Amino acid sequence: DTAVSQTPKYLVTQMGNDKSIKCEQNLGHDTMYWYKQDSKKFLKIMFSYNNKELIINETVPNRFSPKSPDKAHLNLHINSLELGDSAVYFCASSQEHSVSYEQYFGPGTRLTVT
Amino acid sequence: GNSVTQMEGPVTLSEEAFLTINCTYTATGYPSLFWYVQYPGEGLQLLLKATKADDKGSNKGFEATYRKETTSFHLEKGSVQVSDSAVYFCALSASGYSTLTFGKGTMLLVSP
């Protein structure tokens, strides 16, 4: 059983388009996250949700809009895509919003903007 | 703010060699420390963690000890295998938030 799943795995699109990435976790966790990994493998937190409520927004452009319809899902919608948005986007979840809990990562979505 | 510094890679070793990947951190409060591993084409997996000073995390032959006095969490393995080839990330979680602050990752390449 896949713990954290993301769709699609690959996404190739043109500048200016709008796209969405979906994430689902079947672990019963309360907290979910989106991370961005750039071409140099550097990982940075984008958003954190706890029980469907936005907790952390790390100065991400407002073209990025996360949505959590329920605790098991956290989707990421991106408007007006730019070249610099090309990256691998990882969804993750943890049992609670606490420093000591392990995060479980999805397989990633590789977004390429041309 | 919080930050994690890892040694630059790639680290290239022969099978059965000893591995050390250095990691130091800056954080407010009392962070939890983690090592995550990313195999080619995959997401990150937790390798080990330590939540307080002097704790030792261990898993699959890897170890790291939380050293508050030197703000370090170095990863070690006594005998690496080809299957250990991956990118290793040191990370911390601090200040009441569970979000992770990552180092830049260290690629490990192990040859037979």
Side-chain angles (χ1 to χ4, degrees):
Chain A
D1 279 348
T2 304
V4 182
S5 59
Q6 294 178 229
T7 53
K9 191 167 173 64
Y10 300 96
L11 187 52
V12 181
T13 189
Q14 291 184 326
M15 283 175 56
N17 285 347
D18 303 338
K19 290 292 178 187
S20 291
I21 306 171
K22 295 187 176 182
C23 177
E24 177 180 1
Q25 54 96 2
N26 63 6
L27 298 166
H29 288 169
D30 284 347
T31 308
M32 296 184 73
Y33 314 81
W34 279 109
Y35 288 88
K36 179 180 179 180
Q37 185 175 46
D38 64 21
S39 58
K40 295 185 178 178
K41 297 276 189 190
F42 185 56
L43 274 153
K44 192 170 161 60
I45 182 70
M46 299 175 69
F47 301 103
S48 168
Y49 268 72
N50 189 58
N51 280 319
K52 303 192 299 175
E53 302 279 331
L54 179 66
I55 301 296
I56 301 283
N57 179 343
E58 285 290 320
T59 60
V60 177
N62 57 16
R63 297 183 295 104
F64 290 78
S65 52
K67 281 193 171 55
S68 182
D70 55 58
K71 274 183 12 175
H73 296 85
L74 180 62
N75 304 323
L76 183 65
H77 187 75
I78 316 170
N79 289 327
S80 303
L81 278 154
E82 300 177 358
L83 291 176
D85 298 331
S86 295
V88 181
Y89 292 85
F90 286 100
C91 178
S93 72
S94 64
Q95 186 172 336
E96 290 182 17
H97 193 251
S98 166
V99 297
S100 57
Y101 283 98
E102 171 185 355
Q103 293 185 23
Y104 292 79
F105 283 78
T109 296
R110 182 176 293 277
L111 171 65
T112 304
V113 183
T114 62
Chain B
N2 300 327
S3 67
V4 176
T5 303
Q6 286 181 240
M7 58 191 291
E8 296 268 341
V11 173
T12 305
L13 295 173
S14 298
E15 207 164 22
E16 299 183 3
F18 184 85
L19 169 71
T20 300
I21 300 178
N22 290 337
C23 171
T24 57
Y25 67 89
T26 303
T28 54
Y30 300 94
S32 293
L33 301 174
F34 305 84
W35 277 100
Y36 280 82
V37 58
Q38 185 178 26
Y39 297 102
E42 297 184 11
L44 282 78
Q45 303 171 26
L46 179 69
L47 183 59
L48 52 85
K49 71 175 185 181
T51 57
K52 60 183 189 298
D54 300 326
D55 267 2
K56 178 186 279 189
S58 61
N59 185 26
K60 299 181 182 179
F62 291 89
E63 291 183 341
T65 301
Y66 188 149
R67 301 280 188 208
K68 190 166 168 57
E69 63 276 13
T70 53
T71 61
S72 65
F73 193 54
H74 304 322
L75 182 68
E76 296 183 337
K77 186 175 186 183
S79 175
V80 293
Q81 306 300 312
V82 172
S83 57
D84 294 327
S85 297
V87 180
Y88 292 81
F89 293 91
C90 185
L92 68 82
S93 182
S95 304
Y97 296 118
S98 56
T99 54
L100 291 166
T101 299
F102 285 93
K104 293 188 175 181
T106 302
M107 180 176 287
L108 170 65
L109 300 169
V110 181
S111 56

